[in-house]
Amino acid sequence: MVLESTFKAGLNGLEDEVNELKQTSLTEGDGEVQPYSHPGDDYPLLHCSNQHRYQSFAPRRTGNNTKWYSDTCGYFWALSVAIEEARHNIWIMGWWISPEMYLRRPPSRNIQYRLDRMLQAAAIRGVEINIIVNHESTSYLSYASLYTKFTLEALHENIVVVRHSYQMDPVSASLKLEHDTRLGNLTDSRVYEPTNLSSPAKKYLPTTKVFTNDPEVDWCNHEKLCVVDRTIAFMGGVDICFGRWDINSYPIADANPNNLENILFPGQDFNNARAFDFTQPDHPKENKLNRTTDCRMGWTDPAICLEGPVVQDLVAHFIQRWNFEQGLTHRQGLQPEYNLSPVESQQCYCNSTGNRPKPYWPTMFPTGTGFEQQGDQYSNGTVDQGPSRHHCADDRDLRGGVSMQIVRSVSRWSHGTPTEHSIVDAYIDIINKSEHFLYFEHQYFITATSQEQYPVLNKIGTSIVDRILRAARSKQKFKVVVVMPALPAFAGDVQYDSSPGTLAIMGFQYNSISRGGNSIMQKVEEAGFEPKDYISFYNLRSYDRINCSASMANAEAKSGISYEDARKAHDHEAGSGYQGHGESPTTTFPWQDSHFAQYQQATNAANTPSASISSACIHDGPALTSIPWDPGNMAEIDAFVSEEVYVHSKLLIADDRVVIIGSANLEDRSMLGYRDSEIGVVIEDSLAINSHMNGEPFKTAHFAAGLRRKLFRKHLGLLPPQDPTIPDDNYLPVDRCGNVYDWGSVLDLLVEDPLSNEFEELWSNTARINTESFEKVFRPMPSNAVRNWEQYHGYYGQYFDVRKGSEQEPEYRYGHVFKKNFPGGVQDVKRELGEIRGTLVEMPLDFLVEVSDLFKEGFGNLPYHAEIYT
């Protein structure tokens, strides 16, 4: 009877969903773009109000504190501190979670800081741990969420892991069948209802709703969130998984022939998704990359830690999802119709044991708090005040003066609620209200300015165009800067061996940026203005040198063991090695009997080259020509390698005053609400910093300005090298101390004013010089020198790739030096690489520009669903 009633309730929900899709509407007011809403009563588990800004389930709240992390090294260290100090609850949401991932490096000196070991230790001391991990579609992803579940739950009864059950349990399978049957009766298997309203908001917001009825089209739970003791939270674009940990110099080589204990990236953590994607993550030691010949891919992914009243909205979001997931399979934990107001959320059941968690911060929401209006240009809307109880290391500390609002993308399939798309509403509002400057740092950039760009639906592109044209027509200086990946992180050559998704995504991105007739740059040019005066696009790239010098050959000869065998033994003993599944967190091995120990005893650490030289291109790093090399094994010129730095960020900073950061990519999957589920936060702080904009005095916000300046300095190589073994205050959670930043220093002032002529010259010249040097030394793809497939083969393919199916080896290994340009040898290579500062390079907007349709080039006659790639 319970199964039958749940099934009927689900069918009613499906009918509501279809009606909701048909009745999407827009609201308008005061000449400003307003969020669009969905009809229907609030879901019982949702504390939301259509009066909240952006139609979010949560209000804007003050009395918070937050802290940014410009690199994942500091973020994961801070997370390890919070987990180590947890006393009551640890709640984690992730797209991918790797139990064997190390939060501190190097692993050999931080054995206890492997994720599974930390969670097991917390569970033993009585902490209840609830984890929600995305259940991936195995047809095109292999992130082994079932392995994650079994591995972590086996550690202790206090650890409970759920995967999204929409595709698995019998009830959900029946609901999906009904869902598909209903939609299959509609024209073209889609719901397509363009709005007929004349609202000025119409052009900014998605005007269509699309569901395909093919079961192979799968959306995902994409949030990245960790809440500890319901008082402190970590969020951003970073999953706790392989391939995410990195430092600001991006060491892409990790061969340590003289001391294996210095290895930073064990097992699958040494990854390059452009060369080989992750394979069998349930075997954390299986990795096709050879450390003596291949490089990894660097990773950038800003994230935050926050505390204060806003954390309770994240608590509510987690409990809603947990209870929704548990209810799909009738597990313990689903409670009937709780109204999760911020204070009541502490009293809801979550852990499957049925125990009621004790509130750790019972006074977070005192009675009589009330609401008030804020009048600044970003912050109109209701505000919930909260207490201030914080301190920061910075002498200009925030002391609870940060306004924050949680926004999200959720719907009935993902969260059991009516569709909410407050993230895209926030983006559009922030763009429209920006005064001088927009900085996007995003993994994807897929948006539309016209319905002719279907199937792309989100109209963030329209709001960017309108804001640029408004500035251009009033002769106002206004800049949009976008940093994004050079290529999507799919393995294989773009012409022959790649997933067709590589070209599909590139096609949608180029059509959003500069091609296809309706792109952002074309719309600006069509209006009579030069688009490059207002918007520019950049990628990131790094280089390194693999230490395969004579010291490696000497150690191999003396020990009788190859470096790779010794390195695999090290990884095995660190719990991220080879040969089978991940070891138990309590497993120990006889190190003295392993290949690792035999090799280690044969090494000589004196006067030997470094494992990585990546710090040579950043401030206070060593001069490239001063770093020694022991000749006698591999030729040094063959040891240099390069790869893109993968921009995994999900970040917008406007005017150095407001930040939106979270898990949502700039694409339809993340923004529409009814596809991937996402979580984000809009951050504004009241502490003003005296700054400049376009040469004029300008008040910026402490948090936004500090984060933007730190990222710009990182990209320009204006930060000292990061030592992962020496933490500073920026490695700690926000409740311990705030960000430390050298306000007013010489290097800070170089990036203070993003509109000044001096900064623009520094930024553009650095990108140009870096691009030219990388092109000459490595010939990386993509490149403006390649406008069609014939040029691709002549410029790159004939040297670095062979046609699919051929047994011929390429002349040059992927990512290595193009030696034809350097008849003078390695010293000429070093002189050219010595010109590179930081990682910033120009985005090649003319790459394959003469190929008419990259999406069709990728898929050919294969069946596809375009919505997956938008």
Side-chain angles (χ1 to χ4, degrees), residues 241-281:
C241 66
F242 295 135
R244 277 26 175 193
W245 187 95
D246 217 330
I247 57 178
N248 66 8
S249 58
Y250 307 111
I252 59 174
D254 194 28
N256 293 265
N258 301 293
N259 190 352
L260 293 168
E261 291 187 350
N262 289 333
I263 288 173
L264 293 176
F265 304 95
Q268 292 244 31
D269 234 342
F270 189 90
N271 176 262
N272 187 337
R274 286 292 308 129
F276 298 105
D277 201 358
F278 292 97
T279 56
Q280 294 182 292

Side-chain angles (χ1 to χ4, degrees), residues 38-107:
H38 299 277
D41 296 330
D42 288 344
Y43 188 39
L45 295 182
L46 192 62
H47 69 282
C48 74
S49 164
N50 10 357
Q51 295 182 5
H52 294 159
R53 187 174 59 162
Y54 312 135
Q55 290 291 93
S56 172
F57 79 111
R60 176 176 174 264
R61 303 191 188 278
T62 61
N64 306 289
N65 200 5
T66 187
K67 181 174 184 174
W68 45 254
Y69 302 92
S70 59
D71 299 285
T72 55
C73 170
Y75 176 78
F76 284 127
W77 189 295
L79 181 60
S80 75
V81 172
I83 293 175
E84 200 168 39
E85 296 179 349
R87 293 296 175 264
H88 303 284
N89 315 94
I90 298 172
W91 294 347
I92 300 173
M93 301 179 79
W95 181 72
W96 181 18
I97 298 172
S98 302
E100 297 83 10
M101 190 267 181
Y102 277 88
L103 302 182
R104 300 188 190 183
R105 311 292 170 100

Side-chain angles (χ1 to χ4, degrees), residues 327-338:
L328 289 176
T329 51
H330 303 283
R331 297 184 185 128
Q332 205 170 3
L334 181 66
Q335 298 300 309
E337 305 203 0
Y338 274 102

Side-chain angles (χ1 to χ4, degrees), residues 555-614:
E556 289 178 326
K558 187 175 179 180
S559 67
I561 298 170
S562 72
Y563 175 79
E564 273 294 276
D565 284 345
R567 194 267 309 161
K568 291 175 182 179
H570 162 274
D571 291 356
H572 183 78
E573 296 188 10
S576 295
Y578 284 71
Q579 305 166 10
H581 288 71
E583 294 79 24
S584 163
T586 58
T587 298
T588 57
F589 292 91
W591 286 43
Q592 67 275 14
D593 296 332
S594 68
H595 286 176
F596 161 72
Q598 294 176 50
Y599 182 94
Q600 278 286 88
Q601 292 170 3
T603 62
N604 179 10
N607 300 318
T608 54
S610 303
S612 171
I613 62 166
S614 61

